[in-house]
Amino acid sequence: YGVVELNDRQLKKYTNKFLPLVDLDFTCLIVDDNDKLMGFGVGAPSTENAMRRCRGHLMPFGWIGLLKALMQKKDTLDLLLIAVRPEYQKTGLNGVIMEHLFAGCNKNGIRFAETGPQLEWNTNVHHQWKMFNIEPHKRRRCFIKQL
């Protein structure tokens, strides 16, 4: 629940779309001795202020404000994807990934991080944030009503 697998076509599309945007300061891949991926983390400087500046409209001239805002120094990181294979969970790999991402944040002057949606009952994810000064400010829920 909460995961949708990508087919090969989608995987290729998203790889080509987002690979040029990847910054190695905010990317961590962990592999074992056989080059099998054990876990990874990908973050990116936040574009929230840039999108707010152009009010979501790129045409006709919104892209100019977006470009200017993207060139400014950022202080927030969007944590896009962080995952560890189930057999390697609770082994500290998540901490290694986070340490690499935080080193990139320190190098680039980033002071805040924004995570994506997390299931309320996913205690493993919530435990990793206990040592931080967190401020939950968004909540998403789905409700089901039988008709």
Side-chain angles (χ1 to χ4, degrees), residues 2 12 18 27 30 42 44 63 70 81 90 92-93 103 105-106 117-119 121-123 130 136-138 144:
K12 186 175 180 179
F18 292 111
T27 304
I30 300 177
V42 179
W63 63 272
L70 287 173
L81 299 167
K90 298 183 181 178
L93 282 183
C105 289
N106 286 336
Q118 301 166 4
L119 297 174
W121 55 83
N122 189 346
T123 55
K130 280 190 172 185
H137 60 95
K138 295 177 187 173
I144 299 172

Side-chain angles (χ1 to χ4, degrees), residues 68-134:
K68 285 180 183 177
L70 287 173
M71 297 303 209
Q72 294 173 351
K73 190 140 178 86
K74 315 279 185 314
D75 69 344
T76 303
L77 180 75
D78 285 336
L79 296 172
L80 304 174
L81 299 167
I82 297 175
V84 175
R85 285 190 182 272
E87 61 267 26
Y88 298 111
Q89 291 177 355
K90 298 183 181 178
T91 62
L93 282 183
N94 199 28
V96 173
I97 293 168
M98 298 301 279
E99 192 277 331
H100 177 81
L101 294 176
F102 292 153
C105 289
N106 286 336
K107 178 180 171 184
N108 291 283
I110 291 180
R111 300 177 23 222
F112 304 101
E114 180 83 28
T115 66
Q118 301 166 4
L119 297 174
E120 287 181 292
W121 55 83
N122 189 346
T123 55
N124 290 337
V125 171
H126 295 291
H127 285 306
Q128 76 181 359
W129 305 120
K130 280 190 172 185
M131 67 180 126
F132 298 101
N133 182 17
I134 61 170

Side-chain angles (χ1 to χ4, degrees), residues 6-17:
L6 300 175
N7 62 37
D8 290 337
R9 191 176 121 240
Q10 291 171 316
L11 195 57
K12 186 175 180 179
K13 173 188 170 187
Y14 289 126
T15 300
N16 292 335
K17 184 176 183 179

